[in-house]
Amino acid sequence: MKLRILFLATVVLSILCLERSPSLRGQNVYAAIHGTVTDATGAVLTNASITVLNTGTNITTTATADNKGYYILPQLQIGGPYLVTITAPGFQKFVQSNLILNVNDNRDVDAKLKIGADNTTVSVSASALQVETSDTQINR
């Protein structure tokens, strides 16, 4: 009986000591993305919208560039891949994809936006050539 009480007291005391030890608490398992948004001349763009999408989890985080064009998205989950989209009125959209974040990463993603419509989209489509299979004649 005394052995059991001594064992329980030791377990409780150990748990209390571990709980109070700051070095044994959970470590930071996050990462951050930050950067500066500028135009083609290097002038900063204020109030640009930054959207970061973790395509693995579909979690979206947003920020707005400050008066120096700077933004930061702290405490992002590690992993990814992430898709970073930066937009500003009157400028083409900036996109960076397949960004993988490791523990404690502080990733710099600077964006240089080009003048143009903010809804500019490049679309590529292709179709297969049609081959006549019922006629063996060559037309010249």
Side-chain angles (χ1 to χ4, degrees):
M1 182 71 168
K2 287 183 181 181
L3 187 58
R4 182 181 284 194
I5 292 174
L6 181 60
F7 175 74
L8 288 174
T10 303
V11 169
V12 169
L13 185 59
S14 297
I15 291 172
L16 289 175
C17 288
L18 289 175
E19 181 64 30
R20 302 238 184 246
S21 173
S23 64
L24 296 176
R25 290 189 188 142
Q27 300 296 311
N28 182 9
V29 292
Y30 295 108
I33 295 175
H34 66 94
T36 304
V37 184
T38 59
D39 66 9
T41 68
V44 297
L45 296 176
T46 60
N47 297 319
S49 298
I50 296 89
T51 303
V52 175
L53 170 66
N54 182 330
T55 58
T57 62
N58 265 351
I59 294 174
T60 300
T61 307
T62 60
T64 302
D66 64 13
N67 62 352
K68 295 179 182 176
Y70 182 76
Y71 71 92
I72 185 165
L73 295 133
Q75 294 191 346
L76 297 172
Q77 292 180 349
I78 59 171
Y82 281 90
L83 176 71
V84 179
T85 305
I86 300 175
T87 59
F91 292 88
Q92 293 180 7
K93 179 171 35 176
F94 171 89
V95 177
Q96 181 168 345
S97 58
N98 296 321
L99 190 63
I100 304 295
L101 298 177
N102 298 310
V103 174
N104 293 329
D105 268 355
N106 197 11
R107 196 65 61 90
D108 189 20
V109 179
D110 291 330
K112 187 175 281 197
L113 302 183
K114 297 177 182 177
I115 294 176
D118 55 355
N119 62 354
T120 302
T121 304
V122 175
S123 178
V124 178
S125 62
S127 60
L129 291 174
Q130 297 294 321
V131 178
E132 178 62 52
T133 59
S134 62
D135 187 2
T136 59
Q137 298 286 329
I138 296 177
N139 293 331
R140 292 187 189 211

